[in-house]
Amino acid sequence: MSYSNHQQRSAPETLIQTAQQHIQNLLTNVSGVEYVMICSTDGFELTSVHKKNVDNAGKLAAVSSSILAMVQAFLSEINLRGCQSITLDAENGKALLSSIPNKNYPLLIVALTTKDVLLGQLLFSIKQCSAEIVKADAIYS
């Protein structure tokens, strides 16, 4: 397992470190998770943990942010509110994008998994992870 951490103006370093601890727990505790990244809503990677190396993490962060924004716009057009997550299911794995609705520093979790991951366990764990990061963000109010 490797770590990468990029200083970014969009969130305090202590919040990024807290997020990294929680995504590390997610990577460790959910079988089939290969890569987890925290990125800013404007598309910059802040930190990531992984079992499988991803060479294009910067591009992944930018595209993930754009996808979430497009889906939110689509949902608005059909009168649905509060897009929480998006799951992409492919032949060779899954990708899950989930917003972290921080009041001060909104973020995004991107998880890449094997095709056999237990989605219920992954979604539950990401929700817990997100809730802990929201709590950590509250100190900046």
Side-chain angles (χ1 to χ4, degrees), residues 33-48:
V33 174
E34 296 181 324
Y35 180 88
V36 186
M37 173 177 33
I38 298 289
C39 56
S40 61
T41 54
D42 58 351
F44 292 97
E45 177 189 6
L46 301 179
T47 189
S48 64

Side-chain angles (χ1 to χ4, degrees), residues 3 6-7 15 17 27 29 42 72 74 77 86 94 98 104 111 120 122:
Y3 300 81
H6 303 279
Q7 289 188 339
L15 181 59
Q17 290 171 351
L27 182 75
N29 296 324
D42 58 351
Q72 287 172 335
F74 171 73
E77 290 299 317
I86 302 164
K94 296 180 183 1
S98 182
N104 301 297
L122 177 62

Side-chain angles (χ1 to χ4, degrees), residues 8 11 16 30 50 56 60 65 69 71 82 87-88 101-102 104 107 116 122 124 126-127 131 136 138-139:
Q8 182 62 31
I16 295 170
V30 180
H50 51 88
N56 57 347
L60 179 64
S65 174
V71 168
T87 304
L88 304 170
N102 289 344
N104 301 297
L107 302 170
D116 299 323
L122 177 62
F124 178 78
I126 285 178
K127 191 170 187 171
I139 68 168

